[in-house]
Amino acid sequence: NAGVTQTPKFQVLKTGQSMTLQCAQDMNHNSMYWYRQDPGMGLRLIYYSASEGTTDKGEVPNGYNVSRLNKREFSLRLESAAPSQTSVYFCASSEVEGSEKLFFGSGTQLSVL
Amino acid sequence: RKEVEQDPGPFNVPEGATVAFNCTYSNSASQSFFWYRQDCRKEPKLLMSVYSSGNEDGRFTAQLNRASQYISLLIRDSKLSDSATYLCVVNINNQGGKLIFGQGTELSVKP
């Protein structure tokens, strides 16, 4: 019963490097989300995809791009990592947009040096 | 002003105590409200929704005060396993992109 799977769990990057965080859900959910969590800030939405084929900016989209590859997969790309992107990243999904029941992945701890 | 504000704590309470957390929100258009629980270094999980008339789930009671724009979570007979961070979540206009999380309130229940 996998739910939401995101990889990698940990990553260390140098400033300027690029990387893609992968996320997949096996619950046939329509909506998927990427959040970042920083101390004292709560979870902030980076991008979301209300349904396959659509993506929208959230509260903090700068420096990120996303791809909704298919209904199951939603990836987050950092094109040129900056120290300000050091954070814990969570992928989440919900049956429909606006549903309060989000299912989260286990998170990715990213450090940018 | 943050859209959703919580006292970060930590709240340190003995087992069996009753503890209450408050959360205030700034957008009067907010339509739905929730509490999530997050264990240390883990992902958040939905604890309960908050209904206008107030609602209870076992030892947990959630209440909403729209006039004053705050919600609360009351935990009775605290257990060691209740130790976690409790996140207040507000949905504006029931849109996926408008789910706003508070920074969380940390609870530590001691023996």
Side-chain angles (χ1 to χ4, degrees):
Chain A
N1 204 10
V4 179
T5 303
Q6 61 178 105
T7 58
K9 290 191 184 299
F10 301 95
Q11 184 71 49
V12 178
L13 294 177
K14 294 181 180 178
T15 297
Q17 286 186 315
S18 62
M19 78 161 296
T20 300
L21 280 66
Q22 307 287 352
C23 177
Q25 52 89 11
D26 62 2
M27 297 172 283
N28 201 36
H29 284 172
N30 289 301
S31 302
M32 298 186 73
Y33 313 82
W34 277 105
Y35 288 89
R36 60 177 289 174
Q37 187 174 34
D38 302 292
M41 299 293 292
L43 283 100
R44 291 182 293 168
L45 184 65
I46 303 170
Y47 271 94
Y48 70 105
S49 171
S51 60
E52 186 180 357
T54 69
T55 60
D56 285 287
K57 294 178 180 180
E59 182 184 354
V60 287
N62 291 344
Y64 306 95
N65 284 302
V66 291
S67 295
R68 183 76 182 266
L69 304 169
N70 48 55
K71 192 171 185 179
R72 291 186 64 247
E73 298 173 287
F74 189 39
S75 63
L76 178 72
R77 183 159 178 84
L78 287 70
E79 290 290 353
S80 179
S84 61
Q85 293 178 304
T86 293
S87 188
V88 179
Y89 291 84
F90 287 102
C91 175
S93 71
S94 65
E95 191 171 356
V96 295
E97 184 188 8
S99 169
E100 75 275 13
K101 193 163 178 67
L102 296 182
F103 292 80
F104 285 86
S106 57
T108 297
Q109 173 72 61
L110 174 66
S111 295
V112 183
L113 306 177
Chain B
R1 182 185 172 189
K2 291 181 182 176
E3 289 197 73
V4 178
E5 291 202 68
Q6 299 180 248
D7 181 343
F11 284 59
N12 296 305
V13 302
E15 265 188 297
T18 295
V19 61
F21 310 133
N22 286 332
C23 165
T24 59
Y25 60 94
S26 60
N27 192 326
S28 59
S30 301
Q31 297 199 0
S32 47
F33 310 88
F34 319 97
W35 285 100
Y36 272 70
R37 170 191 169 131
Q38 184 174 24
D39 293 302
C40 187
R41 299 184 184 279
K42 297 285 183 78
E43 70 274 20
K45 294 183 180 179
L46 179 65
L47 178 66
M48 60 194 301
S49 300
V50 186
Y51 301 122
S52 297
S53 55
N55 50 295
E56 194 172 295
D57 182 1
R59 297 181 292 108
F60 297 83
T61 300
Q63 293 197 313
L64 167 65
N65 185 319
R66 284 190 184 273
S68 301
Q69 295 184 200
Y70 79 81
I71 68 174
S72 64
L73 177 68
L74 181 79
I75 305 175
R76 292 183 301 278
D77 188 23
S78 299
K79 312 290 185 191
L80 296 177
S81 58
D82 293 334
S83 297
T85 296
Y86 292 84
L87 306 173
C88 172
V89 184
V90 172
N91 196 335
I92 301 172
N93 294 331
N94 290 328
Q95 295 174 10
K98 293 294 185 183
L99 205 62
I100 308 296
F101 285 77
Q103 81 246 49
T105 296
E106 183 183 347
L107 172 65
S108 180
V109 181
K110 307 292 187 183

